[in-house]
Amino acid sequence: MLRLLEAEAAELAERAGVSSRTLQEAFHRELGVTPLEHLRLVRLDRVRRDLLDADPTTTSVTDVAARWGFFHLGRFAQAYRSAFHELPSQTLA
């Protein structure tokens, strides 16, 4: 997954007509994060939105996490808790 994200960042830099380093510097300057970190935060936000909208009787955290590209559930839960100060299962409930 990391290689895919890195490839997406490289493609974004190419489309913007800048080097990967220039893109990273611009993201850091404007948003305070790298392009990869920004993408991860966007994906976490989408997971949270889906969990809030989901029916906990028919939806699992695992399915929602996988839909947004999170396949290592331990790391996902850590990142989610760090971002939102609760476990994904608490959001779903």
Side-chain angles (χ1 to χ4, degrees):
M1 184 67 175
L2 182 58
R3 287 184 187 187
L4 177 61
L5 295 176
E6 289 171 345
E8 289 176 3
E11 181 181 339
L12 180 59
E14 184 178 328
R15 286 181 182 218
V18 298
S19 69
S20 292
R21 181 70 182 144
T22 299
L23 182 69
Q24 284 185 1
E25 289 171 352
F27 263 78
H28 195 268
R29 183 178 59 250
E30 298 299 321
L31 302 173
V33 294
T34 67
L36 294 179
E37 179 69 9
H38 179 70
L39 180 57
R40 187 177 69 84
L41 292 170
V42 168
R43 290 171 41 237
L44 283 170
D45 187 60
R46 300 284 167 80
V47 168
R48 181 172 177 76
R49 183 194 62 202
D50 285 0
L51 291 174
L52 287 168
D53 292 342
D55 177 352
T57 63
T58 60
T59 304
S60 75
V61 170
T62 301
D63 290 341
V64 175
R67 182 181 318 138
W68 289 103
F70 295 101
F71 300 105
H72 189 290
L73 295 180
R75 281 189 228 139
F76 160 71
Q78 267 185 323
Y80 189 94
R81 188 170 189 177
S82 177
F84 303 112
H85 309 288
E86 67 181 8
L87 295 172
S89 58
Q90 292 172 309
T91 303
L92 179 59

